[in-house]
Amino acid sequence: MPFRDLFRLIFSGLVRLSFILWLPASQADWHGDIKFLSDYVYRGYSKSRGKPVVQGNIDYQDNSGWFAGLGVSQVRFDDQQFSDRAEIEIKPYLGWSLPLSADWRAELSVSGYIYDNKIFNHAADYAEFYASLHYQDWLSATASIAPDAYQRRADAANYEITYRRDILDTVQFSAGLGYNQAGALLGHDYFYWNAGVSWFATSYLSVDFRYIDVDLPHQHLEDHYDDFYPRQQENKYLFSVTLGF
């Protein structure tokens, strides 16, 4: 089945699932948010050419552990010379959270990345599979694999650990360290990291300020006309505001 048809199937299935699961509302939680970001940084590289973007997300969580959702984001890669470039990313996801003990929780999920057009003159829809382990609410480790990432005949694996700690009642410090095993896609495997603070002004409004860096050799973007080689982000500060419900 072609990638685009596969993701249309995933998307339509999630929509139908949402309407079905909406009925027993007393047994489930719905959440959503709109986020304004100074840059869409993903694993050390930018999906928006260092420019601000708006994102939206809706999420369903069932008491049995199943969850599903849909995210939408603006994107802009360094392929502006092509008229059929992608500007929207749609991310449907489905997963299952399993408590292991009072402190530990495991999680399995799959996400789709669907684009409204091409990326670097190629169709780029793909899927990624995740396995996570969480300790209480302050430590998480995640491993993922994306077969045929961006449809570039390259499998990309990623490993990430995240630490969170409340400083005050409304302020939280968090940091993350990741290793992107994407040499077949980007030409290099590399580390990336971030650290910052989040201020929860109200139950519906939060503000985040964060420093990011990446250990990725510099490349000249003009040498990668058709290759998938997004703009790396290093020694940079990110700012975001989230409105949620």
Side-chain angles (χ1 to χ4, degrees), residues 76-113:
R76 198 175 195 187
F77 292 91
D78 280 294
D79 56 356
Q80 300 303 291
Q81 68 270 32
F82 299 110
S83 60
D84 58 351
R85 58 187 179 271
E87 296 182 348
I88 299 294
E89 176 187 84
I90 302 173
K91 181 182 176 182
Y93 56 90
L94 178 67
W96 181 45
S97 181
L98 174 66
L100 302 177
S101 68
D103 295 326
W104 292 90
R105 175 171 56 88
E107 189 174 286
L108 299 174
S109 63
V110 57
S111 295
Y113 292 85

Side-chain angles (χ1 to χ4, degrees), residues 37-236:
L37 304 93
S38 60
D39 189 359
Y40 182 6
V41 175
Y42 179 81
R43 297 174 182 172
Y45 60 81
S46 176
K47 288 188 176 184
S48 63
R49 301 180 69 220
K51 305 298 183 181
V53 299
V54 178
Q55 298 179 343
N57 185 78
I58 187 167
D59 180 82
Y60 168 89
Q61 296 181 345
D62 189 80
N63 287 347
S64 65
W66 291 99
F67 61 90
L70 184 69
V72 178
S73 177
Q74 295 175 296
V75 292
R76 198 175 195 187
F77 292 91
D78 280 294
D79 56 356
Q80 300 303 291
Q81 68 270 32
F82 299 110
S83 60
D84 58 351
R85 58 187 179 271
E87 296 182 348
I88 299 294
E89 176 187 84
I90 302 173
K91 181 182 176 182
Y93 56 90
L94 178 67
W96 181 45
S97 181
L98 174 66
L100 302 177
S101 68
D103 295 326
W104 292 90
R105 175 171 56 88
E107 189 174 286
L108 299 174
S109 63
V110 57
S111 295
Y113 292 85
I114 307 170
Y115 297 94
D116 64 330
N117 222 318
K118 296 180 179 180
I119 297 179
F120 288 91
N121 206 32
H122 287 267
D125 301 342
Y126 71 100
E128 187 162 19
F129 302 87
Y130 303 81
S132 301
L133 189 62
H134 306 281
Y135 178 73
Q136 297 182 354
D137 292 325
W138 61 271
L139 187 64
S140 300
T142 300
S144 66
I145 179 70
D148 195 15
Y150 294 96
Q151 296 193 43
R152 293 289 177 156
R153 298 180 181 179
D155 298 341
N158 190 76
Y159 311 92
E160 189 167 311
I161 186 168
T162 303
Y163 170 83
R164 298 170 293 272
R165 180 62 69 182
D166 292 337
I167 302 175
L168 301 171
D169 290 341
T170 59
V171 179
Q172 183 183 80
F173 169 81
S174 61
L177 172 65
Y179 180 70
N180 197 5
Q181 197 171 5
L185 178 66
L186 298 176
H188 302 280
D189 300 336
Y190 61 93
F191 286 96
Y192 60 94
W193 54 92
N194 72 85
V197 293
S198 300
W199 173 45
F200 300 92
T202 71
S203 57
Y204 304 103
L205 174 65
S206 64
V207 178
D208 185 87
F209 186 70
R210 190 160 302 276
Y211 170 80
I212 66 163
D213 201 1
V214 59
D215 181 22
L216 189 62
H218 286 279
Q219 297 286 333
H220 296 292
L221 293 173
E222 58 270 19
D223 295 335
H224 298 270
Y225 295 109
D226 290 335
D227 297 335
F228 177 77
Y229 204 92
R231 184 174 303 193
Q232 68 187 70
Q233 303 294 296
E234 60 181 355
N235 298 318
K236 185 170 183 176

